[in-house]
Amino acid sequence: MGEWRATAASMEDPEISSISHVTMSPSRHNHVSVYSLPLSKSSYSVISAFCAEDNVPRCITYLNQELSSLGLSVCIEAGSPEGASLNAVPAINAMYELLQIHRQNMCTLEEMEEEQLKKLSTLEHMQTSNSRLKDQLELLIREKSGLHETERQLQLKIKTLQSCLKTEKEEVQKLQSIIASRASQYSHDAKRKEREASKLKERLSQLLVDRKEKKLAIDVLNCLGRSDGKRSLWRTAKLTASHESEMYKTLLGDYEASQKALLLENAELKKVLQQMKKEMMHILTPRQKSTSGASADDSQQQVDSDEAKAGDTSREALDQSCELAREQLLNSIRQQWRKLRNHVERLDQASQVQNQMESNKETIPLETHDDEMERMRQEVQQCREFIHAQQQLLRQQLNTSFDDETAALLNDCYTLEEKERLKEEWKLFEEQKRNFEKERNNFTEAAIRLGREKMAFEEDRAAWLKNQFLNITPFTDRRRCSSSDGQSALSIRSEPELRMSSAKAKRSKSPTYTTFSTPKPSRSSTVPSTTELYRTLRILSDSSLSKHSTQARWRESSTIENRHPRIKSNIQAHTGGAAAPFRGEHKQSEGFAGGCGPAAVLLAECLAGSSAHWSVLQHQPLQAAESLLLLVKLHSSLAFN
Amino acid sequence: MNFSEVFKQSNQLCKVSPDGKYLATCVQYRLVVRDVSSLQILQLYTCLDQISHMDWSSDSLFILCAMYKRGLVQVWSLEQPDWHCKIDEGSIGLVSSRWSPDGRHILNTTEFHLRITVWSLCTKAVSYIKYPKACQKGIDFSRDGCYLALAERRDCKDYVSIFVCDDWHLLRHFETETQDLAGLEWSPNGCVLAVWDSCLEYKVLLYSLDGRLLSTYSAYEWSLGVKSVSWSPSSQFLAIGSYDEKVRILNHITWKKIVQFEHPAAIDNTKATVYKEVERRPAVVSEELSLHNITMGSTLFNTQSKYEICSLPVQIPVVKPDPDRANPKIGVSVLAFSSDSRYLATKNDNMATAVWVWDMQKMSLEAVLEHTSAVRCFLWDPRRPRLALCTGNSKLYLWSPGGCVSVQVPVEGGFQVQSLNWHCSGDSVILLGKEQLCLCYMDTDQEENS
């Protein structure tokens, strides 16, 4: 509220200022200013002010009057009777009141204006809609009138058409009557003419006969005999009678022939009918027997026998007379047909039932299946429980009381089983042993070779040292010749030098090295079997295996240059029996560090020796390790048992 | 297929004797009798005037030659060439002459149908039958030759008289329920007489031999009715062709319609075979032309043609009849059953180029033969289901259930087949041109093969 007031005040600011201005400016022409007061403020300021020095009291009174007329009880009083100054409080109050009124008025005015605008728009809308509706109305009226017009025209047309139709009808009638009259006239004329013609003909023939024309004659050389050789007979009543009889004879013959044909046809049809009937019966009876009960069966049979009898009688009757037979035949056929129909209906029903059954069958199995499954599961459970109980009982028996018989029996059982198992394992062990022996032989051979080479190296070294020693001596010519000897010894200068040279050789042989590493996947494919074996033997924990493998992978990612020093370090560390040399190549082999000693030694040896052994030795350590592990496994398994 | 040499004939008078041994032809006023097998002239008779009608007697012993202009009938004997007989109708005139079935009587119809004169060659006796009706087919002998049915008109009413041919005894005489009787025909077994009204009314009446009305059949009213009627040789069917382009088949038991065959312009019946004659003009080199001019000049002018099986549907050319003319060229005018009653051949007049063959066992359309020109005549082989037809050109067309052929008649000078006659054995066909005739011998072996 305060805010609103503040804004209002700010809005009023110019007015206030203008008012203040008004108050400040002296007004001499009082009346003019009074009239100009409701007018715009600008004019108000321009025209000479309402209040001046001299007319203050008058102004005050006037204002008071005005205020009272406005219903305000505020009374402005002059500060001094002579007064240029005002008593401020009432004046301000009055002003405030006035302002309030003004603001209210402004508000209402605004509202009114808005309303007016709204009203105007609605009015406009109304007007437009009104005009539109008027247009529509006009259009409709026009349309209506048009329709009326067309209707009128159509009616006119109808009327004309109807009249046309009437005239046409009349015409038709007329024409018909004309035709009829003409036809009758024509027929009459025709008849008349015909009569005339016949009369003329009669007359002509009469005339011709009367003239006894000579020309009308037959001239035959000699008369011919009849074609049938008989003589012609006199015309007698007898002859005519014979003609009649002849005619009837032919007719009779014809009828007989046709009757025969019909009979034949009938017989054929009957035969077909009988056959059909028989077949129907044949079809109908077994089904009935199979489907219907014993009591129904009897009745059916009876009906059938009746049927058959009726059929036979009808057949007999058929040969006798048609009239009697027809009834029976029809009846029997009808019955048969009814039966057939019933049968077919029954079949339909049966098929429906069957269909339902089939559909039921399809639904039932699921339930039965579930039931069965449940039942079987329960059974299995029971069986298990039973077995468990039995086992427990057996154990208890074994633990608590050693019945001689049972114990012996059980012992027998167990020992037999154990024996078998041991036998198998022994076989396996033997095999493993043999393998290991082979490996060991290889190892020893390799060790011997290594030893020999070592000895050669020592000898070389001794020779070299001797040479060195000799070189120090002042035998120059000897030195020269020994320098040629020392050429070979140059490669084996010293331990570090040797290492360097071997490293050089390794570096030069890096492609071959990579070739060694390539068969890794194939090896690794064989390796998992062993690891699995270990895993099953619980020697190698899965976690450790995975750890090692990740380690190995990380190590494998290292470059060849990295490997090289590692290998070198391996050579140094081989005596310690560490599994480190295998890390790069065989990730899984790290797990069995303890059993890896000989292989590591071998590798170190071969590294020191010729590189030609590489490929062989690459495989050897694995086999060796595997065999070792198998041995361990055997031991452990034996221990477990 | 072989063709004989060409012989002269006039008025298309050429007939094979009923026993199939002789061939009689008329050339102007001469009658020539030949042996069918050798074609040697056996007898030559000279008549008094140009012969307008010639007929064999049923026993193949006599030949009747009628000269209508002169009102004369001359009869010749084959056995006794000297024997002669001349019948003069005198000033009363003659319009028709025929043998009675016994071959010993001649029935002459006088002008204006005043009467029918029955001349006996045995007794020289003459008898008259009055009031014969001048109509499409007012006289018919039963097939066994016993009875004659004759349409009569007395007091503006139609009557039918049935005579015993033996002695011309009037057996039955009855009024028919027709407005204007147009024709009558005995059933082949001679027991039923079909009588039909004029085209103004569709009405077929069936009478028994003893004059009882067996049945009446009327397919429709008001429009033009019956155009042709034909019995099947088995007497089982009566085919009625009418102006509405339909053939209706009545059965012989109830005399009700069994089936009706329509003749639509567009054939879409898949069971039917439509054979269409296709003409081809042989392209001849000029040299060949000159050569041919010398040897077989005629063939040059004759186009070759053959039948082609058309794929359905087929449109048959239809000629709209002139409505102002009487006897409009529309409707089934010719009906012919094959000798075994198996097939029915029909011709619809506003489709004059087509012959329709119907199967009477299946009661359906069997084949349609469409030709390049209007069909003049078609006849069934008296022995086999084989139809021969001609269209007024130099070709003979044959249809059998196995197929359809057109054969060029290899005759010089443009032999145009106007009409044809089968030999009773079915081994040969006599082709009649305008003034010539030619025998066509069927290839029997081929026939058996097909």
Side-chain angles (χ1 to χ4, degrees):
Chain A
M1 200 60 185
E3 279 173 3
W4 180 80
R5 269 195 187 164
T7 49
S10 67
M11 274 176 75
E12 299 305 310
D13 267 345
E15 273 179 58
I16 291 163
S17 63
S18 66
I19 287 163
S20 63
H21 175 70
V22 165
T23 49
M24 296 277 272
S25 61
S27 69
R28 261 160 275 169
H29 306 285
N30 212 351
H31 294 284
V32 178
S33 66
V34 165
Y35 287 119
S36 65
L37 193 66
L39 294 171
S40 70
K41 282 138 195 172
S42 56
S43 62
Y44 172 67
S45 60
V46 169
I47 299 164
S48 57
F50 155 68
C51 186
E53 290 284 335
D54 48 350
N55 62 355
V56 167
R58 243 195 300 164
C59 281
I60 286 165
T61 50
Y62 174 74
L63 281 174
N64 280 336
Q65 274 173 6
E66 284 294 308
L67 285 170
S68 63
S69 74
L70 279 169
L72 295 172
S73 55
V74 192
C75 190
I76 303 165
E77 289 163 19
S80 55
E82 64 278 4
S85 65
L86 273 171
N87 197 350
V89 173
I92 286 165
N93 277 337
M95 243 150 75
Y96 177 73
E97 289 288 333
L98 279 171
L99 276 174
Q100 285 293 324
I101 287 163
H102 178 70
R103 200 176 294 155
Q104 266 177 7
N105 284 345
M106 286 303 280
C107 272
T108 47
L109 183 73
E110 227 167 85
E111 272 169 28
M112 296 279 264
E113 270 173 356
E114 258 173 45
E115 210 152 303
Q116 207 203 354
L117 268 175
K118 260 187 224 166
K119 292 245 166 85
L120 269 174
S121 70
T122 49
L123 182 74
E124 211 168 298
H125 177 71
M126 287 296 215
Q127 273 170 346
T128 51
S129 66
N130 194 19
S131 64
R132 209 182 56 226
L133 284 169
K134 262 184 193 165
D135 284 352
Q136 221 166 340
L137 184 72
E138 222 167 282
L139 199 83
L140 283 171
I141 285 165
R142 228 178 295 147
E143 220 166 274
K144 191 189 135 203
S145 62
L147 283 172
H148 268 297
E149 179 57 28
T150 48
E151 196 194 344
R152 200 184 56 79
Q153 279 176 358
L154 283 171
Q155 246 154 8
L156 251 167
K157 210 182 259 181
I158 285 168
K159 254 178 211 170
T160 51
L161 281 174
Q162 266 172 345
S163 64
C164 257
L165 186 71
K166 210 178 260 181
T167 51
E168 289 293 324
K169 266 184 185 168
E170 274 166 20
E171 191 94 350
V172 164
Q173 208 103 39
K174 214 165 80 184
L175 283 173
Q176 268 176 341
S177 66
I178 285 169
I179 287 168
S181 66
R182 270 176 173 249
S184 61
Q185 185 66 36
Y186 164 77
S187 60
H188 178 77
D189 281 2
K191 269 180 189 170
R192 196 166 53 82
K193 288 224 166 94
E194 212 176 305
R195 257 181 222 124
E196 260 173 42
S198 62
K199 255 183 210 166
L200 273 171
K201 276 177 193 173
E202 201 108 335
R203 191 69 180 275
L204 186 64
S205 59
Q206 197 62 46
L207 277 172
L208 283 169
V209 168
D210 285 350
R211 258 173 69 191
K212 292 201 174 160
E213 228 178 336
K214 277 177 194 170
K215 264 186 147 182
L216 183 74
I218 178 164
D219 174 25
V220 187
L221 188 69
N222 52 339
C223 290
L224 298 168
R226 279 169 61 97
S227 55
D228 52 3
K230 283 182 205 160
R231 289 185 61 184
S232 59
L233 301 163
W234 292 103
R235 286 198 182 202
T236 51
K238 203 178 162 189
L239 198 69
T240 56
S242 82
H243 281 314
E244 284 282 312
S245 64
E246 196 77 16
M247 180 195 77
Y248 283 122
K249 232 183 247 173
T250 54
L251 266 181
L252 217 76
D254 178 56
Y255 280 126
E256 266 172 13
S258 67
Q259 201 207 349
K260 243 179 225 170
L262 284 174
L263 267 176
L264 256 169
E265 211 175 301
N266 245 343
E268 287 287 318
L269 287 173
K270 255 181 252 162
K271 223 184 266 173
V272 170
L273 193 74
Q274 285 291 342
Q275 201 185 335
M276 274 177 69
K277 207 164 134 184
K278 230 184 253 173
E279 272 172 25
M280 269 156 94
M281 274 181 181
H282 184 69
I283 289 165
L284 287 171
T285 42
R287 275 264 350 153
Q288 284 163 359
K289 269 172 196 168
S290 63
T291 51
S292 57
S295 58
D297 200 18
D298 283 355
S299 66
Q300 285 287 356
Q301 269 183 330
Q302 213 162 12
V303 168
D304 285 349
S305 62
D306 286 355
E307 206 55 47
K309 238 182 258 172
D312 289 342
T313 49
S314 73
R315 196 168 194 180
E316 283 161 22
L318 268 172
D319 297 335
Q320 289 159 6
S321 76
C322 203
E323 288 297 312
L324 280 168
R326 194 190 290 156
E327 199 86 356
Q328 281 181 333
L329 196 74
L330 279 174
N331 272 338
S332 75
I333 285 168
R334 266 185 205 137
Q335 269 179 334
Q336 288 287 341
W337 172 241
R338 221 170 291 145
K339 267 166 80 178
L340 190 71
R341 204 176 50 196
N342 286 340
H343 180 63
V344 168
E345 274 168 12
R346 216 180 302 138
L347 274 178
D348 278 352
Q349 280 173 359
S351 70
Q352 273 182 358
V353 166
Q354 219 166 18
N355 280 338
Q356 278 179 352
M357 286 279 279
E358 272 167 26
S359 58
N360 284 346
K361 260 182 203 167
E362 271 173 14
T363 53
I364 286 165
L366 275 167
E367 295 163 24
T368 48
H369 183 75
D370 286 352
D371 287 353
E372 200 82 347
M373 284 288 280
E374 196 58 35
R375 205 165 56 77
M376 278 176 159
R377 266 185 210 135
Q378 276 177 357
E379 222 164 276
V380 166
Q381 194 64 31
Q382 275 178 359
C383 284
R384 263 187 201 155
E385 275 168 18
F386 191 67
I387 288 163
H388 196 68
Q390 266 188 337
Q391 273 181 339
Q392 263 187 341
L393 276 172
L394 274 173
R395 212 171 289 165
Q396 273 179 359
Q397 262 190 334
L398 278 171
N399 287 347
T400 52
S401 65
F402 264 93
D403 281 338
D404 295 348
E405 290 170 25
T406 50
L409 191 87
L410 277 168
N411 271 337
D412 277 357
C413 282
Y414 281 123
T415 45
L416 209 70
E417 209 176 310
E418 201 70 45
K419 242 184 198 169
E420 285 291 311
R421 214 187 308 156
L422 278 171
K423 240 183 221 171
E424 266 179 44
E425 275 177 3
W426 185 249
K427 229 185 261 170
L428 209 76
F429 171 68
E430 287 285 311
E431 211 174 306
Q432 298 292 343
K433 208 175 168 185
R434 245 175 283 138
N435 282 342
F436 188 63
E437 282 297 316
K438 233 189 263 171
E439 294 293 320
R440 213 157 69 172
N441 280 346
N442 285 341
F443 270 63
T444 45
E445 268 175 40
I448 288 160
R449 226 181 303 142
L450 193 75
R452 269 183 204 153
E453 272 170 31
K454 220 175 181 178
M455 259 163 70
F457 173 70
E458 284 298 324
E459 272 173 40
D460 251 358
R461 196 178 161 181
W464 187 73
L465 280 172
K466 209 163 75 184
N467 252 352
Q468 200 85 337
F469 178 73
L470 284 172
N471 278 351
I472 296 164
T473 57
F475 304 106
T476 49
D477 55 325
R478 265 203 186 185
R479 192 205 296 165
R480 205 182 301 137
C481 70
S482 69
S483 66
S484 61
D485 281 350
Q487 279 261 308
S488 61
L490 257 172
S491 55
I492 333 161
R493 269 160 288 184
S494 63
E495 269 288 299
E497 270 175 348
L498 171 79
R499 263 185 238 145
M500 282 295 285
S501 67
S502 71
K504 260 180 204 161
K506 278 256 76 108
R507 210 171 281 176
S508 65
K509 269 163 196 164
S510 63
T512 50
Y513 186 76
T514 49
T515 52
F516 291 139
S517 63
T518 42
K520 223 186 285 166
S522 63
R523 227 180 300 141
S524 65
S525 68
T526 56
V527 168
S529 62
T530 54
T531 55
E532 273 173 3
L533 193 70
Y534 304 144
R535 204 183 300 153
T536 49
L537 290 170
R538 309 278 155 80
I539 299 162
L540 236 172
S541 74
D542 289 358
S543 58
S544 69
L545 184 79
S546 63
K547 194 180 83 195
H548 285 306
S549 69
T550 48
Q551 219 174 20
R553 220 169 283 146
W554 175 77
R555 290 213 174 153
E556 220 181 4
S557 65
S558 58
T559 55
I560 299 160
E561 278 86 359
N562 286 349
R563 274 180 208 177
H564 171 64
R566 213 193 314 145
I567 290 159
K568 275 196 284 178
S569 69
N570 289 349
I571 297 162
Q572 285 170 331
H574 70 83
T575 43
F582 296 99
R583 272 179 194 160
E585 287 79 31
H586 314 287
K587 357 180 183 173
Q588 282 90 4
S589 58
E590 281 182 308
F592 37 91
C596 212
V601 169
L602 203 76
L603 186 78
E605 277 172 350
C606 82
L607 269 169
S610 81
S611 56
H613 292 289
W614 256 98
S615 59
V616 182
L617 294 171
Q618 275 276 328
H619 295 278
Q620 301 289 26
L622 248 182
Q623 286 175 357
E626 276 172 25
S627 50
L628 267 170
L629 263 168
L630 277 170
L631 269 173
V632 170
K633 181 205 97 180
L634 269 176
H635 279 295
S636 63
S637 67
L638 280 170
F640 284 134
N641 286 324
Chain B
M1 203 176 277
N2 294 314
F3 290 87
S4 73
E5 56 179 306
V6 173
F7 304 106
K8 272 196 172 179
Q9 52 90 9
S10 54
N11 281 339
Q12 302 192 356
L13 291 172
C14 175
K15 272 175 186 161
V16 183
S17 63
D19 61 2
K21 283 180 187 165
Y22 311 107
L23 175 71
T25 51
C26 298
V27 185
Q28 302 296 328
Y29 50 87
R30 275 195 295 274
L31 173 70
V32 185
V33 179
R34 292 169 201 270
D35 185 82
V36 165
S37 50
S38 65
L39 292 175
Q40 296 264 309
I41 295 173
L42 295 176
Q43 296 292 341
L44 192 88
Y45 306 99
T46 310
C47 294
L48 293 167
D49 200 355
Q50 182 156 3
I51 303 159
S52 42
H53 177 73
M54 178 266 286
D55 202 3
W56 282 93
S57 69
S58 58
D59 53 6
S60 307
L61 292 174
F62 302 96
I63 304 166
L64 169 156
C65 294
M67 292 139 275
Y68 293 144
K69 277 181 198 164
R70 287 262 215 126
L72 268 178
V73 174
Q74 283 192 293
V75 184
W76 306 101
S77 167
L78 212 64
E79 283 180 332
Q80 299 163 273
D82 301 335
W83 186 88
H84 61 86
C85 167
K86 189 180 86 181
I87 300 164
D88 194 343
E89 285 292 341
S91 51
I92 202 162
L94 182 66
V95 291
S96 162
S97 180
R98 73 189 78 209
W99 283 103
S100 77
D102 65 353
R104 295 293 179 271
H105 295 84
I106 290 166
L107 283 80
N108 286 339
T109 311
T110 61
E111 242 176 316
F112 310 115
H113 286 79
L114 273 181
R115 64 186 184 209
I116 288 171
T117 325
V118 182
W119 301 92
S120 170
L121 299 185
C122 303
T123 58
K124 290 190 191 176
V126 58
S127 44
Y128 305 112
I129 303 169
K130 271 189 168 182
Y131 317 114
K133 183 164 183 177
C135 58
Q136 191 185 342
K137 192 177 183 187
I139 182 165
D140 193 38
F141 292 101
S142 64
R143 198 148 299 179
D144 60 356
C146 282
Y147 303 103
L148 160 72
L150 182 74
E152 293 177 6
R153 185 79 177 178
R154 297 180 193 183
D155 299 325
C156 305
K157 277 176 195 157
D158 291 317
Y159 294 88
V160 169
S161 294
I162 294 168
F163 294 92
V164 181
C165 293
D166 223 17
D167 51 1
W168 308 107
H169 170 75
L170 180 68
L171 188 70
R172 282 288 183 277
H173 178 79
F174 51 88
E175 194 186 330
T176 60
E177 295 171 23
T178 49
Q179 290 290 313
D180 180 16
L181 191 148
L184 42 77
E185 188 170 320
W186 285 108
S187 68
N189 61 11
C191 290
V192 183
L193 182 72
V195 174
W196 61 96
D197 213 333
S198 75
C199 62
L200 291 172
E201 217 172 328
Y202 195 116
K203 200 170 195 182
V204 177
L205 302 152
L206 292 145
Y207 289 96
S208 165
L209 177 61
D210 53 358
R212 284 179 299 120
L213 178 66
L214 294 173
S215 180
T216 310
Y217 179 76
S218 175
Y220 53 86
E221 283 181 298
W222 307 120
S223 67
L224 292 181
V226 180
K227 195 160 193 180
S228 56
V229 172
S230 176
W231 284 95
S232 78
S234 60
S235 303
Q236 198 182 351
F237 305 115
L238 179 67
I240 306 161
S242 53
Y243 279 91
D244 65 344
E245 303 174 59
K246 282 171 191 154
V247 175
R248 290 172 177 81
I249 309 289
L250 306 188
N251 74 74
H252 74 305
I253 294 167
T254 60
W255 304 109
K256 296 264 164 57
K257 185 182 83 181
I258 304 170
V259 73
Q260 97 183 8
F261 297 141
E262 295 183 26
H263 296 72
I267 298 163
D268 52 1
N269 184 352
T270 49
K271 283 172 187 167
T273 321
V274 179
Y275 299 95
K276 186 175 181 155
E277 188 192 1
V278 179
E279 278 192 337
R280 282 177 309 167
R281 232 167 250 284
V284 187
V285 193
S286 55
E287 277 180 68
E288 242 180 305
L289 195 126
S290 57
L291 266 170
H292 271 269
N293 266 335
I294 302 155
T295 53
M296 317 167 64
S298 63
T299 53
L300 263 183
F301 303 103
N302 294 321
T303 51
Q304 301 225 315
S305 78
K306 62 164 186 170
Y307 280 117
E308 273 180 5
I309 294 173
C310 287
S311 55
L312 297 166
V314 176
Q315 196 75 28
I316 297 219
V318 179
V319 181
K320 249 201 159 179
D322 188 354
D324 295 335
R325 284 241 186 125
N327 301 317
K329 280 213 172 285
I330 189 168
V332 181
S333 62
V334 192
L335 295 163
F337 278 96
S338 68
S339 55
D340 57 358
S341 301
R342 174 78 197 266
Y343 298 102
L344 170 71
T346 61
K347 183 187 144 190
N348 188 11
D349 276 350
N350 52 342
M351 303 173 191
T353 57
V355 170
W356 307 62
V357 182
W358 308 85
D359 190 322
M360 293 304 291
Q361 276 183 10
K362 296 177 195 156
M363 289 291 177
S364 64
L365 185 63
E366 172 81 16
V368 178
L369 317 178
E370 198 200 326
H371 304 90
T372 48
S373 42
V375 176
R376 293 288 178 95
C377 167
F378 59 87
L379 278 176
W380 286 97
D381 183 329
R383 294 286 172 86
R384 303 169 191 84
R386 181 163 61 175
L387 187 73
L389 50 109
C390 59
T391 63
N393 56 16
S394 62
K395 278 173 285 276
L396 168 70
Y397 304 92
L398 287 166
W399 176 90
S400 70
C404 211
V405 285
S406 74
V407 185
Q408 178 80 35
V409 181
V411 174
E412 284 178 42
F415 187 94
Q416 293 187 324
V417 188
Q418 302 289 324
S419 155
L420 45 81
N421 275 319
W422 278 95
H423 185 267
C424 55
S425 67
D427 294 336
S428 55
V429 188
I430 299 146
L431 309 175
L432 300 167
K434 266 177 183 157
E435 293 193 320
Q436 287 171 311
L437 78 98
C438 165
L439 259 76
C440 169
Y441 300 97
M442 296 293 157
D443 211 333
T444 48
D445 292 337
Q446 200 185 336
E447 165 60 28
E448 272 154 27
N449 285 337
S450 67

